[in-house]
Amino acid sequence: MIIILKKEAAESQVNGLISLLESKNIQPHVSRGSLQTIVGCVGDVSRLDPGILEALDGVESVQRIQEPFKAANRKFHPEDTVVDCSGVKVGGGSFSVIAGPCSVESEEQIVAIAKSVKASGATMLRGGAFKPRTSPYAFQGLGKAGLDMLLTARRETGLPIVTELMDFKDIELFNDVDVIQIGARNMQNFNLLKEVGSYTKKPILLKRGMSATIQELLMSAEYVMASGNENVMLCERGIRTFETALRNTLDLGVVTLLHRLSHLPVVVDPSHATGHAWMVDSVAVAATAIGADGLIIEVHNDPPHAKCDGAQSQTPDMFAGTMRKIAALRKSLFNA
Ligand code: PEP
Ligand code: MN
């Protein structure tokens, strides 16, 4: 971090700044030029608030030269993190497809979908038991009963299960879940992130908030990691923009950016990104080609009657076709 002082900064203001920095265990390196004085900060600046420094009398501006995230930062952890989801690896060249319905509706439904997506090559099963819905009148999920159905589907197929935790009060119900999803709406629920991070080392699938910047997504990952759980997978699921033709605007380039900034695996969700089942195939292929470490795709055996997100749910046949393309693409592009 570099602090640029105002030309007219008084010596007492410079000294006040220096003692403030020293009190925070930062070593200030002052260089006095004929036009400007600048102070370079050496030490752990991640806990310094640039806004507070900028508000000090005598300070012109503050420039960060280091990102505020540490645990998630590739600079301090050059090799890719490989997240182990009960034996299924994601990251560092291991690619995984998580598939299943938006919400668990019945035991027959989730078991049948689990079997069909497994037969097509999915490596994990998704299904919501606690659903964040825009309307309080919409189906809210089956809760604990839904989690039990997911466990049955796992017993029948061996697929690890991924499901969303909305409220920390339910955490004990998730003890047998393999991967905890934190949804877009909770990406900045900092208490939830801290509580989950300190309670469990289970893999966390952290979805990007609807209007979250990449730095905010990484800072949310940082919350989980700083609380003790480094097993975080980032998920790009589209963001809200001026465009209304699609459910969200998929920010696919961030897969490459996130891989540069962070060592954490990046999963893409073509279902919520587009909102249309007929688009999921080509977007899943694009996400694979750009180098995503995994996909999360909604699949339903009867989309017109789905209780949640039917319009964007692939049928098992559509999913099988997408999986064939992805396998061929990964072979030709990545020799995988
Ligand atoms: C979901 O995965 O069904 C979901 C609600 O996703 P998001 O949090 O990305 O909207
Ligand atoms: Mn959904």
Side-chain angles (χ1 to χ4, degrees):
M1 183 178 283
I2 293 173
I3 304 169
I4 299 158
L5 299 175
K6 288 184 181 147
K7 281 196 191 65
E8 66 278 11
E11 198 53 35
S12 58
Q13 292 171 338
V14 181
N15 291 338
L17 172 67
I18 290 172
S19 18
L20 176 70
L21 292 169
E22 283 172 345
S23 74
K24 295 186 180 289
N25 287 327
I26 305 290
Q27 297 147 272
H29 291 258
V30 186
S31 74
R32 291 172 210 270
S34 55
L35 292 175
Q36 203 131 41
T37 297
I38 63 172
V39 181
C41 301
V42 178
D44 181 3
V45 294
S46 59
R47 288 170 205 275
L48 280 185
D49 179 346
I52 288 183
L53 298 173
E54 228 150 28
L56 293 176
D57 290 335
V59 172
E60 174 83 39
S61 63
V62 177
Q63 287 172 11
R64 275 197 186 276
I65 47 171
Q66 198 175 294
E67 299 86 1
F69 49 96
K70 286 187 85 176
N73 200 319
R74 194 179 278 281
K75 274 187 202 144
F76 308 115
H77 187 299
E79 51 309 323
D80 289 336
T81 281
V82 182
V83 175
D84 187 330
C85 307
S86 308
V88 173
K89 299 207 161 48
V90 186
S94 294
F95 181 82
S96 185
V97 180
I98 305 162
C102 182
S103 63
V104 180
E105 297 171 12
S106 69
E107 189 172 301
E108 302 72 59
Q109 175 237 23
I110 193 68
V111 171
I113 297 174
K115 286 182 177 164
S116 73
V117 297
K118 184 181 183 185
S120 300
T123 43
M124 285 188 256
L125 174 68
R126 65 148 290 153
F130 295 88
K131 292 303 305 176
R133 302 304 301 276
T134 303
S135 165
Y137 309 116
F139 176 59
Q140 304 285 308
L142 296 178
K144 181 179 179 332
L147 292 179
D148 290 341
M149 293 170 194
L150 280 166
L151 296 177
T152 305
R154 182 179 65 189
R155 266 198 307 279
E156 301 248 340
T157 59
L159 292 177
I161 53 179
V162 181
T163 192
E164 178 165 352
L165 172 72
M166 286 172 56
D167 191 326
F168 191 70
K169 76 172 168 36
D170 297 321
I171 191 75
E172 283 180 14
L173 301 176
F174 283 62
N175 283 345
D176 293 327
V177 160
D178 300 285
V179 177
I180 297 177
Q181 176 174 325
I182 302 289
R185 289 153 194 81
N186 270 322
M187 189 205 83
Q188 286 192 312
N189 183 338
F190 301 119
N191 286 341
L192 179 64
L193 299 175
K194 283 193 279 193
E195 283 165 332
V196 168
S198 54
Y199 180 86
T200 179
K201 292 205 189 309
K202 274 186 205 296
I204 305 297
L205 181 70
L206 178 64
K207 301 191 86 176
R208 182 179 179 184
M210 288 194 274
S211 308
T213 64
I214 288 309
Q215 184 155 310
E216 286 165 344
L217 171 62
L218 288 166
M219 291 308 284
S220 291
E222 195 75 15
Y223 262 97
V224 178
M225 298 174 87
S227 308
N229 183 350
E230 309 239 305
N231 296 311
V232 178
M233 298 177 280
L234 305 169
C235 179
E236 167 57 37
R237 43 77 78 204
I239 49 174
R240 185 164 281 182
T241 67
F242 57 85
E243 181 55 76
T244 54
L246 299 174
R247 182 169 182 183
N248 288 294
T249 298
L250 180 59
D251 194 5
L252 203 48
V254 305
V255 176
T256 310
L257 178 63
L258 285 170
H259 279 153
R260 186 186 182 100
L261 296 175
S262 177
H263 50 89
L264 298 175
V266 183
V267 172
V268 173
D269 175 345
S271 312
H272 292 84
T274 62
H276 298 293
W278 59 271
M279 288 187 69
V280 168
D281 178 77
S282 58
V283 173
V285 167
T288 307
I290 206 167
D293 302 288
L295 301 171
I296 178 163
I297 299 182
E298 286 186 343
V299 179
H300 197 281
N301 49 350
D302 184 10
H305 294 105
K307 292 204 163 144
C308 185
D309 285 350
Q312 66 191 32
S313 298
Q314 287 192 316
T315 61
D317 279 353
M318 291 165 90
F319 178 71
T322 300
M323 290 300 283
R324 281 193 291 274
K325 280 194 199 167
I326 287 168
L329 181 68
R330 283 191 45 80
K331 193 158 194 275
S332 71
L333 276 185
F334 308 120
N335 208 16

